[in-house]
Amino acid sequence: MKSYKIALIKGDGIGPEIIDEATKVLDAVASACELHFEYEELLMGGIAYDITGNPLPQETITKSLTSDAVLFGAIGGQKWDTLDRELRPESGLLRFRKELGVYANLRPAVVYEELINASSLKPEIIKGVDIMVVRELIGGIYFGEPKGRTKDKGWNTMVYTREEIVRIAHQAFRIAQTRDKRVVSIDKANVLDVSQLWRDVVTEISEQYPDVELTHMYVDNAAMQLVLNPKQFDVMLTGNIFGDILSDEASMLCGSIGLLPSASVGEKIGVYEPIHGSAPDIAGQGIANPIATISSASMMLRYALGEKEAANKIDNAIKRALKEGYRTQDLAQFDAKEVCSTSEMGSIIANYTTK
Ligand code: NAD
């Protein structure tokens, strides 16, 4: 029996509810595939601030780095919004990603056939959409210096180095090789010098991947094309802020932000997390959709642990639950046969992984 050490960061808001469902499903698939998961809960976000005075305790970094993978819920909430910026949960998350060196955020946006009516776009536009957004995660404007503010002025700086662009470009091309072999690199090279560097370096790296087709697109056009004709995209390669925005837009092609998983990977460790936040508006009500987190656990099995069979079991169980008409509240109006709670959805998926 193979055993894996998983760092669990539940965080704030709906974080604990959705992580509990993901571990329920992991434990079910573990018994079906003769695996064992040893979980270690670590503090981060608002809850970490409340308990330790620090949104990212050092122990969380150290123990994450010695685990096989990190499964992450979500952090943040109004309660902590008035703290000094460096004490806020979101600053903890940015520092966490930087400390772990997870520079590549992979966000698949796949439309479930069963939820074809859940998108705000027409079914014929979204049927068959299968996009992988490869977003640079620890550079760009969220980290660039100088930054600051006075009473009447605020400023941030978008900086990318050649090295940062090279490594994320390699990721995108390697992923494209396992898919439809097309990369669209998104930038704003018509206005920003940093984007022109991005475009030049991506073009240079593409020469090492002659089997992959590279095109470039300005970010404003990409935002438009994503709703006009999303099927044109295979891999979308973007910087940090553009990827943040475009991947949320892509999520709505799929019906609910509660469906989409992500993986943040680097040389040392991977962090697997839903793309949504801590949803304080629905926290504690048992109505959050746990599928994005369960699906992130599946990505963890596939990419960090190499347990493809177990990952496939989870993916199939999610599809089966949706096909049979089980829906959480966010998708209740879309062909639901039964509206279920967060925990019921977790149990249904867990049950299907073993059948
Ligand atoms: P959010 O993603 O938390 O919520 C946006 C909307 O989507 C809300 O109406 C929410 O109810 C809904 N939603 C989100 N996840 C859902 C789910 N699983 N099931 C059903 N509905 C779901 O974004 P927000 O409201 O802008 O941010 C709330 C807090 O989360 C903020 O403090 C923000 O900083 C933080 N945040 C954290 C992360 C993270 O931890 N990675 C990411 C984004 C935002």
mmCIF file of all heavy atoms in Angstrom, residues 70-99:
data_model
loop_
_atom_site.group_PDB
_atom_site.id
_atom_site.type_symbol
_atom_site.label_atom_id
_atom_site.label_comp_id
_atom_site.label_asym_id
_atom_site.label_seq_id
_atom_site.Cartn_x
_atom_site.Cartn_y
_atom_site.Cartn_z
ATOM 1 N N VAL A 70 0.160 19.717 -1.370
ATOM 2 C CA VAL A 70 -0.671 20.556 -0.499
ATOM 3 C C VAL A 70 -2.070 20.654 -1.109
ATOM 4 O O VAL A 70 -2.217 20.968 -2.296
ATOM 5 C CB VAL A 70 -0.091 21.986 -0.374
ATOM 6 C CG1 VAL A 70 -0.955 22.840 0.555
ATOM 7 C CG2 VAL A 70 1.352 21.947 0.110
ATOM 8 N N LEU A 71 -3.072 20.372 -0.290
ATOM 9 C CA LEU A 71 -4.458 20.572 -0.712
ATOM 10 C C LEU A 71 -4.987 21.780 0.056
ATOM 11 O O LEU A 71 -4.955 21.805 1.285
ATOM 12 C CB LEU A 71 -5.278 19.314 -0.407
ATOM 13 C CG LEU A 71 -6.699 19.278 -0.969
ATOM 14 C CD1 LEU A 71 -6.706 19.376 -2.492
ATOM 15 C CD2 LEU A 71 -7.400 17.980 -0.544
ATOM 16 N N PHE A 72 -5.452 22.763 -0.700
ATOM 17 C CA PHE A 72 -5.739 24.083 -0.127
ATOM 18 C C PHE A 72 -7.212 24.439 -0.362
ATOM 19 O O PHE A 72 -7.731 24.243 -1.461
ATOM 20 C CB PHE A 72 -4.817 25.075 -0.851
ATOM 21 C CG PHE A 72 -4.873 26.478 -0.361
ATOM 22 C CD1 PHE A 72 -3.991 26.919 0.607
ATOM 23 C CD2 PHE A 72 -5.794 27.374 -0.885
ATOM 24 C CE1 PHE A 72 -4.040 28.234 1.050
ATOM 25 C CE2 PHE A 72 -5.843 28.682 -0.444
ATOM 26 C CZ PHE A 72 -4.962 29.111 0.528
ATOM 27 N N GLY A 73 -7.865 24.987 0.670
ATOM 28 C CA GLY A 73 -9.274 25.400 0.526
ATOM 29 C C GLY A 73 -9.360 26.812 -0.017
ATOM 30 O O GLY A 73 -9.230 27.057 -1.211
ATOM 31 N N ALA A 74 -9.530 27.776 0.871
ATOM 32 C CA ALA A 74 -9.577 29.179 0.458
ATOM 33 C C ALA A 74 -9.376 30.039 1.699
ATOM 34 O O ALA A 74 -9.638 29.593 2.822
ATOM 35 C CB ALA A 74 -10.921 29.502 -0.181
ATOM 36 N N ILE A 75 -8.919 31.255 1.489
ATOM 37 C CA ILE A 75 -8.699 32.149 2.632
ATOM 38 C C ILE A 75 -9.362 33.510 2.375
ATOM 39 O O ILE A 75 -9.678 33.842 1.251
ATOM 40 C CB ILE A 75 -7.185 32.358 2.927
ATOM 41 C CG1 ILE A 75 -6.433 32.762 1.656
ATOM 42 C CG2 ILE A 75 -6.570 31.121 3.544
ATOM 43 C CD1 ILE A 75 -6.363 34.162 1.359
ATOM 44 N N GLY A 76 -9.537 34.243 3.467
ATOM 45 C CA GLY A 76 -10.002 35.622 3.347
ATOM 46 C C GLY A 76 -11.425 35.822 3.827
ATOM 47 O O GLY A 76 -12.181 34.875 4.025
ATOM 48 N N GLY A 77 -11.755 37.077 4.031
ATOM 49 C CA GLY A 77 -13.101 37.439 4.480
ATOM 50 C C GLY A 77 -13.081 38.854 5.027
ATOM 51 O O GLY A 77 -12.021 39.372 5.411
ATOM 52 N N GLN A 78 -14.269 39.441 5.075
ATOM 53 C CA GLN A 78 -14.412 40.841 5.479
ATOM 54 C C GLN A 78 -13.791 41.138 6.835
ATOM 55 O O GLN A 78 -13.240 42.214 7.060
ATOM 56 C CB GLN A 78 -15.893 41.184 5.546
ATOM 57 C CG GLN A 78 -16.271 42.232 4.544
ATOM 58 C CD GLN A 78 -17.741 42.575 4.616
ATOM 59 O OE1 GLN A 78 -18.531 41.894 5.273
ATOM 60 N NE2 GLN A 78 -18.112 43.624 3.932
ATOM 61 N N LYS A 79 -13.893 40.148 7.724
ATOM 62 C CA LYS A 79 -13.407 40.320 9.086
ATOM 63 C C LYS A 79 -11.954 40.807 9.129
ATOM 64 O O LYS A 79 -11.547 41.510 10.043
ATOM 65 C CB LYS A 79 -13.530 38.961 9.790
ATOM 66 C CG LYS A 79 -13.056 38.913 11.203
ATOM 67 C CD LYS A 79 -13.274 37.526 11.797
ATOM 68 C CE LYS A 79 -12.575 37.427 13.138
ATOM 69 N NZ LYS A 79 -12.465 36.042 13.594
ATOM 70 N N TRP A 80 -11.176 40.413 8.108
ATOM 71 C CA TRP A 80 -9.749 40.741 8.128
ATOM 72 C C TRP A 80 -9.386 41.840 7.118
ATOM 73 O O TRP A 80 -8.224 42.149 6.932
ATOM 74 C CB TRP A 80 -8.923 39.479 7.836
ATOM 75 C CG TRP A 80 -9.216 38.386 8.818
ATOM 76 C CD1 TRP A 80 -8.740 38.288 10.096
ATOM 77 C CD2 TRP A 80 -10.060 37.245 8.623
ATOM 78 N NE1 TRP A 80 -9.239 37.153 10.701
ATOM 79 C CE2 TRP A 80 -10.053 36.494 9.830
ATOM 80 C CE3 TRP A 80 -10.836 36.775 7.555
ATOM 81 C CZ2 TRP A 80 -10.777 35.310 9.979
ATOM 82 C CZ3 TRP A 80 -11.556 35.609 7.702
ATOM 83 C CH2 TRP A 80 -11.527 34.891 8.903
ATOM 84 N N ASP A 81 -10.415 42.414 6.463
ATOM 85 C CA ASP A 81 -10.149 43.369 5.383
ATOM 86 C C ASP A 81 -9.585 44.701 5.869
ATOM 87 O O ASP A 81 -9.037 45.473 5.077
ATOM 88 C CB ASP A 81 -11.434 43.635 4.564
ATOM 89 C CG ASP A 81 -11.690 42.517 3.555
ATOM 90 O OD1 ASP A 81 -10.812 41.648 3.405
ATOM 91 O OD2 ASP A 81 -12.764 42.508 2.945
ATOM 92 N N THR A 82 -9.737 44.987 7.172
ATOM 93 C CA THR A 82 -9.256 46.289 7.649
ATOM 94 C C THR A 82 -7.862 46.195 8.279
ATOM 95 O O THR A 82 -7.316 47.194 8.735
ATOM 96 C CB THR A 82 -10.237 46.871 8.686
ATOM 97 O OG1 THR A 82 -10.523 45.856 9.637
ATOM 98 C CG2 THR A 82 -11.543 47.320 8.035
ATOM 99 N N LEU A 83 -7.293 44.985 8.294
ATOM 100 C CA LEU A 83 -5.937 44.835 8.845
ATOM 101 C C LEU A 83 -4.927 45.503 7.916
ATOM 102 O O LEU A 83 -5.213 45.708 6.728
ATOM 103 C CB LEU A 83 -5.571 43.347 8.930
ATOM 104 C CG LEU A 83 -6.319 42.492 9.955
ATOM 105 C CD1 LEU A 83 -5.951 41.025 9.769
ATOM 106 C CD2 LEU A 83 -5.973 42.949 11.369
ATOM 107 N N ASP A 84 -3.730 45.791 8.439
ATOM 108 C CA ASP A 84 -2.659 46.269 7.566
ATOM 109 C C ASP A 84 -2.449 45.230 6.474
ATOM 110 O O ASP A 84 -2.565 44.027 6.725
ATOM 111 C CB ASP A 84 -1.342 46.400 8.360
ATOM 112 C CG ASP A 84 -1.406 47.597 9.293
ATOM 113 O OD1 ASP A 84 -2.324 48.423 9.121
ATOM 114 O OD2 ASP A 84 -0.552 47.663 10.208
ATOM 115 N N ARG A 85 -2.104 45.710 5.276
ATOM 116 C CA ARG A 85 -2.067 44.795 4.134
ATOM 117 C C ARG A 85 -1.236 43.535 4.390
ATOM 118 O O ARG A 85 -1.638 42.424 4.052
ATOM 119 C CB ARG A 85 -1.562 45.530 2.883
ATOM 120 C CG ARG A 85 -1.686 44.698 1.626
ATOM 121 C CD ARG A 85 -1.679 45.492 0.353
ATOM 122 N NE ARG A 85 -2.845 46.330 0.150
ATOM 123 C CZ ARG A 85 -4.060 45.892 -0.201
ATOM 124 N NH1 ARG A 85 -4.266 44.616 -0.379
ATOM 125 N NH2 ARG A 85 -5.048 46.729 -0.364
ATOM 126 N N GLU A 86 -0.064 43.695 5.020
ATOM 127 C CA GLU A 86 0.805 42.504 5.173
ATOM 128 C C GLU A 86 0.261 41.478 6.168
ATOM 129 O O GLU A 86 0.731 40.339 6.219
ATOM 130 C CB GLU A 86 2.261 42.896 5.506
ATOM 131 C CG GLU A 86 2.502 43.452 6.881
ATOM 132 C CD GLU A 86 2.179 44.954 6.987
ATOM 133 O OE1 GLU A 86 1.565 45.535 6.073
ATOM 134 O OE2 GLU A 86 2.553 45.539 8.009
ATOM 135 N N LEU A 87 -0.751 41.892 6.961
ATOM 136 C CA LEU A 87 -1.350 40.953 7.916
ATOM 137 C C LEU A 87 -2.607 40.287 7.360
ATOM 138 O O LEU A 87 -3.181 39.395 7.971
ATOM 139 C CB LEU A 87 -1.689 41.676 9.223
ATOM 140 C CG LEU A 87 -0.496 42.180 10.019
ATOM 141 C CD1 LEU A 87 -0.965 42.967 11.237
ATOM 142 C CD2 LEU A 87 0.390 41.018 10.459
ATOM 143 N N ARG A 88 -3.015 40.729 6.178
ATOM 144 C CA ARG A 88 -4.262 40.182 5.623
ATOM 145 C C ARG A 88 -4.037 38.777 5.068
ATOM 146 O O ARG A 88 -2.941 38.437 4.613
ATOM 147 C CB ARG A 88 -4.776 41.074 4.485
ATOM 148 C CG ARG A 88 -5.345 42.370 5.010
ATOM 149 C CD ARG A 88 -6.111 43.066 3.912
ATOM 150 N NE ARG A 88 -6.070 44.496 4.102
ATOM 151 C CZ ARG A 88 -6.391 45.383 3.175
ATOM 152 N NH1 ARG A 88 -6.752 44.985 1.970
ATOM 153 N NH2 ARG A 88 -6.343 46.657 3.436
ATOM 154 N N PRO A 89 -5.111 37.964 5.072
ATOM 155 C CA PRO A 89 -5.010 36.597 4.554
ATOM 156 C C PRO A 89 -4.434 36.539 3.144
ATOM 157 O O PRO A 89 -3.600 35.676 2.839
ATOM 158 C CB PRO A 89 -6.471 36.124 4.553
ATOM 159 C CG PRO A 89 -7.156 36.949 5.585
ATOM 160 C CD PRO A 89 -6.453 38.266 5.606
ATOM 161 N N GLU A 90 -4.856 37.469 2.274
ATOM 162 C CA GLU A 90 -4.418 37.437 0.875
ATOM 163 C C GLU A 90 -2.910 37.643 0.760
ATOM 164 O O GLU A 90 -2.266 37.059 -0.116
ATOM 165 C CB GLU A 90 -5.148 38.527 0.059
ATOM 166 C CG GLU A 90 -6.639 38.286 -0.122
ATOM 167 C CD GLU A 90 -7.489 38.658 1.100
ATOM 168 O OE1 GLU A 90 -6.924 39.139 2.104
ATOM 169 O OE2 GLU A 90 -8.718 38.459 1.051
ATOM 170 N N SER A 91 -2.323 38.460 1.670
ATOM 171 C CA SER A 91 -0.866 38.645 1.640
ATOM 172 C C SER A 91 -0.187 37.350 2.025
ATOM 173 O O SER A 91 0.866 36.991 1.481
ATOM 174 C CB SER A 91 -0.431 39.747 2.615
ATOM 175 O OG SER A 91 -1.087 40.929 2.296
ATOM 176 N N GLY A 92 -0.800 36.643 2.982
ATOM 177 C CA GLY A 92 -0.260 35.339 3.387
ATOM 178 C C GLY A 92 -0.232 34.385 2.210
ATOM 179 O O GLY A 92 0.758 33.684 1.981
ATOM 180 N N LEU A 93 -1.289 34.401 1.420
ATOM 181 C CA LEU A 93 -1.376 33.488 0.272
ATOM 182 C C LEU A 93 -0.318 33.820 -0.776
ATOM 183 O O LEU A 93 0.352 32.928 -1.307
ATOM 184 C CB LEU A 93 -2.783 33.570 -0.339
ATOM 185 C CG LEU A 93 -3.036 32.696 -1.565
ATOM 186 C CD1 LEU A 93 -2.772 31.222 -1.274
ATOM 187 C CD2 LEU A 93 -4.467 32.880 -2.067
ATOM 188 N N LEU A 94 -0.139 35.105 -1.047
ATOM 189 C CA LEU A 94 0.871 35.501 -2.032
ATOM 190 C C LEU A 94 2.266 35.090 -1.560
ATOM 191 O O LEU A 94 3.065 34.548 -2.317
ATOM 192 C CB LEU A 94 0.829 37.013 -2.291
ATOM 193 C CG LEU A 94 -0.395 37.573 -3.012
ATOM 194 C CD1 LEU A 94 -0.195 39.049 -3.348
ATOM 195 C CD2 LEU A 94 -0.716 36.822 -4.290
ATOM 196 N N ARG A 95 2.521 35.298 -0.272
ATOM 197 C CA ARG A 95 3.839 34.928 0.276
ATOM 198 C C ARG A 95 4.039 33.413 0.232
ATOM 199 O O ARG A 95 5.121 32.910 -0.045
ATOM 200 C CB ARG A 95 3.953 35.421 1.719
ATOM 201 C CG ARG A 95 4.813 36.660 1.829
ATOM 202 C CD ARG A 95 5.278 36.968 3.231
ATOM 203 N NE ARG A 95 4.264 36.979 4.247
ATOM 204 C CZ ARG A 95 4.330 36.251 5.353
ATOM 205 N NH1 ARG A 95 5.341 35.440 5.577
ATOM 206 N NH2 ARG A 95 3.376 36.335 6.264
ATOM 207 N N PHE A 96 2.951 32.698 0.526
ATOM 208 C CA PHE A 96 2.989 31.224 0.517
ATOM 209 C C PHE A 96 3.424 30.718 -0.867
ATOM 210 O O PHE A 96 4.317 29.883 -0.997
ATOM 211 C CB PHE A 96 1.590 30.712 0.861
ATOM 212 C CG PHE A 96 1.469 29.219 0.974
ATOM 213 C CD1 PHE A 96 2.156 28.519 1.959
ATOM 214 C CD2 PHE A 96 0.632 28.506 0.118
ATOM 215 C CE1 PHE A 96 2.032 27.137 2.077
ATOM 216 C CE2 PHE A 96 0.491 27.134 0.237
ATOM 217 C CZ PHE A 96 1.190 26.441 1.209
ATOM 218 N N ARG A 97 2.771 31.254 -1.908
ATOM 219 C CA ARG A 97 3.103 30.816 -3.269
ATOM 220 C C ARG A 97 4.559 31.124 -3.595
ATOM 221 O O ARG A 97 5.253 30.332 -4.212
ATOM 222 C CB ARG A 97 2.178 31.527 -4.265
ATOM 223 C CG ARG A 97 0.744 31.025 -4.167
ATOM 224 C CD ARG A 97 -0.190 31.884 -4.993
ATOM 225 N NE ARG A 97 -1.541 31.337 -5.041
ATOM 226 C CZ ARG A 97 -2.611 32.007 -5.412
ATOM 227 N NH1 ARG A 97 -2.499 33.280 -5.762
ATOM 228 N NH2 ARG A 97 -3.788 31.443 -5.442
ATOM 229 N N LYS A 98 4.997 32.302 -3.161
ATOM 230 C CA LYS A 98 6.377 32.716 -3.427
ATOM 231 C C LYS A 98 7.357 31.798 -2.687
ATOM 232 O O LYS A 98 8.327 31.319 -3.260
ATOM 233 C CB LYS A 98 6.540 34.171 -2.973
ATOM 234 C CG LYS A 98 7.787 34.837 -3.450
ATOM 235 C CD LYS A 98 7.536 35.603 -4.732
ATOM 236 C CE LYS A 98 8.753 36.328 -5.231
ATOM 237 N NZ LYS A 98 8.609 36.805 -6.601
ATOM 238 N N GLU A 99 7.079 31.543 -1.412
ATOM 239 C CA GLU A 99 7.978 30.710 -0.591
ATOM 240 C C GLU A 99 8.074 29.296 -1.150
ATOM 241 O O GLU A 99 9.122 28.670 -1.109
ATOM 242 C CB GLU A 99 7.473 30.632 0.856
ATOM 243 C CG GLU A 99 7.531 31.941 1.627
ATOM 244 C CD GLU A 99 8.908 32.204 2.235
ATOM 245 O OE1 GLU A 99 9.771 31.316 2.152
ATOM 246 O OE2 GLU A 99 9.104 33.312 2.756
#
